[in-house]
Amino acid sequence: MYTILIAFKGFNRFLHRGFTHIEEILIDVAMVFLAIGGIWFLAYEAGINTGFSPIITWLTAIHFHYAGFLLPIFTGLLGRLGKPKLYKWAAWSVIVAIVLVALGITFSTTLELLSVLVYIFAIYSLIGLTFFIKFIGPAQKWLFRITFIAIGVSIIFSLLYAYGNWSGNSTVTIDFMLKFHGVTNAVLFAGAGTIMTSMFTPKQADQKSRFPVSELRGEFMIGEDFLKGKITSESSVNGLVDHMDIYQLNLAPTIKDFYENTSDYRLWAKVKWHSWFKPFAAIYKMLSRHTQQINLPLSSKRVEMDGGIHLLKPELDSRNVLGLGLERLKGIQHSLLYIQSTQMVKTPI
């Protein structure tokens, strides 16, 4: 239950920030993966039949605690100190490798071997970065280096073990891995890393950067009925944005006019689904029809997007109308990219 609560906290962190700051995404992912480790450990302790031997169930739990939780945490904290181009490659490799190891243990020794190779790229990239990133002091610097060098040593034996499973010529036994690999990771990697995390935690770069999340909440169906009692008695607004100039973006006059005078426009969309995604699109269409949200057609036929703009009662949402966080600016820019790819025709009202 404790690890699941941590996972919800990690997911909540992500929802308030989104796909920004890869170092924070790593920490979010780590908090979610910890719950997976907790579930596997519960299965081992309770003797639940997972389809694997007890030792594999136990090692899978350990994997998600060390490689799935601690490694992304330490990698994320390193990214708070500096993010050269190599860091982003290493960071995403850590996430991919965690998933590949789990799939490899379950389905394929080839995937397991590939996952270790991805780990090696990520870990040795991180080791190299500890010699270039600027640290607060020598203690923090050497604790980071010891942490990643320790796992850099143990991952070599993981490679030999995975290669033995793949080729059938085992040179490293699981008994050796339990002793050497376990002690190295527990004492040096986790030990030095935990001391570093506790005593020299790098500060989060985006502490004030948060999505302005609405306080309004609906149920499974959100259609016109949702607006009952929530609309002001004032005349309806004409545009999605009152004044686009506050965003200080270099926009074409047509786009600026669309956002400020949206009700003067008719909007058409021509949707083209990738063939492999059409079954998922059909499922989405059934859900969106019931929730009465954006209901996109399955065909590529040109259809008109209809709707209206209403002014909600200000006391229902305490967000600052002019609060311009970085994420809101990015959201506006993404919306503009969509509008630029959609045909707009201004019609007299």
Side-chain angles (χ1 to χ4, degrees):
M1 290 177 64
Y2 179 65
T3 60
I4 288 174
L5 287 174
I6 292 175
F8 274 113
K9 176 64 177 177
F11 188 63
N12 187 59
R13 271 173 45 95
F14 171 77
L15 290 180
H16 282 79
R17 190 190 58 261
F19 289 97
T20 60
H21 302 283
I22 179 62
E23 71 277 13
E24 300 303 326
I25 293 176
L26 276 164
I27 296 173
D28 301 337
V29 166
M31 297 170 76
V32 172
F33 279 149
L34 181 63
I36 300 176
I39 291 169
W40 276 92
F41 188 61
L42 173 65
Y44 171 76
E45 289 291 334
I48 298 172
N49 183 11
T50 62
F52 300 97
S53 64
I55 188 67
I56 295 299
T57 301
W58 183 55
L59 291 175
T60 303
I62 292 174
H63 165 71
F64 278 104
H65 279 77
Y66 282 81
F69 176 65
L70 289 178
L71 180 58
I73 288 284
F74 299 155
T75 305
L77 295 179
L78 181 66
R80 287 183 177 182
L81 295 169
K83 291 186 293 183
K85 289 184 178 180
L86 181 60
Y87 175 82
K88 293 184 178 180
W89 285 95
W92 284 113
S93 296
V94 167
I95 296 174
V96 170
I98 295 169
V99 178
L100 285 179
V101 165
L103 293 175
I105 292 173
T106 306
F107 299 110
S108 168
T109 55
T110 302
L111 273 179
E112 186 180 12
L113 179 62
L114 177 62
S115 69
V116 177
L117 293 174
V118 176
Y119 263 129
I120 288 175
F121 166 77
I123 291 168
Y124 278 86
S125 297
L126 294 168
I127 291 172
L129 290 173
T130 61
F131 288 89
F132 292 97
I133 288 177
K134 186 178 180 181
F135 294 94
I136 297 173
Q140 185 190 56
K141 174 175 66 178
W142 283 106
L143 283 170
F144 261 110
R145 288 178 182 176
I146 291 171
T147 298
F148 288 114
I149 290 174
I151 198 171
V153 173
S154 65
I155 198 68
I156 296 300
F157 290 92
S158 296
L159 176 63
L160 295 175
Y161 175 75
Y163 177 76
N165 287 341
W166 177 75
S167 63
N169 299 319
S170 298
T171 56
V172 176
T173 64
I174 196 167
D175 184 58
F176 174 82
M177 291 292 289
L178 289 173
K179 294 176 181 177
F180 175 80
H181 196 75
V183 171
T184 303
N185 283 347
V187 177
L188 295 177
F189 168 66
T194 302
I195 294 171
M196 173 271 297
T197 303
S198 303
M199 298 180 64
F200 308 102
T201 309
K203 292 182 179 180
Q204 185 176 342
D206 71 327
Q207 289 179 343
K208 295 182 179 179
S209 179
R210 292 289 183 269
F211 283 127
V213 180
S214 174
E215 297 168 3
L216 292 171
R217 293 291 182 270
E219 296 179 356
F220 190 69
M221 182 181 293
I222 304 179
E224 292 183 3
D225 291 341
F226 176 73
L227 297 176
K228 288 182 178 178
K230 299 182 178 69
I231 302 175
T232 65
S233 56
E234 303 175 20
S235 59
S236 61
V237 292
N238 194 43
L240 292 170
V241 178
D242 293 332
H243 304 288
M244 281 300 295
D245 293 335
I246 62 176
Y247 292 102
Q248 298 180 358
L249 298 173
N250 186 18
L251 303 174
T254 305
I255 295 175
K256 182 175 180 293
D257 187 63
F258 170 77
Y259 273 92
E260 294 179 349
N261 303 288
T262 314
S263 299
D264 296 347
Y265 285 78
R266 296 172 66 190
L267 184 64
W268 281 271
K270 190 174 182 181
V271 181
K272 183 178 180 181
W273 300 100
H274 282 284
S275 299
W276 66 269
F277 194 78
K278 285 184 178 180
F280 300 100
I283 296 172
Y284 167 77
K285 185 173 179 62
M286 289 189 293
L287 294 173
S288 62
R289 183 187 293 116
H290 186 75
T291 58
Q292 298 182 15
Q293 291 297 288
I294 297 177
N295 191 253
L296 299 173
L298 292 176
S299 69
S300 58
K301 182 181 178 181
R302 182 172 176 266
V303 296
E304 184 171 1
M305 310 281 285
D306 58 353
I309 303 173
H310 303 279
L311 188 64
L312 298 177
K313 294 178 180 179
E315 62 269 18
L316 297 177
D317 195 338
S318 62
R319 288 178 295 175
N320 184 357
V321 175
L322 298 179
L324 303 179
L326 178 60
E327 284 75 19
R328 286 192 67 186
L329 283 174
K330 289 181 178 177
I332 288 293
Q333 290 171 332
H334 290 319
S335 299
L336 294 178
L337 290 174
Y338 168 75
I339 294 302
Q340 286 174 317
S341 64
T342 306
Q343 182 179 0
M344 298 181 297
V345 179
K346 192 168 185 177
T347 56
I349 299 302

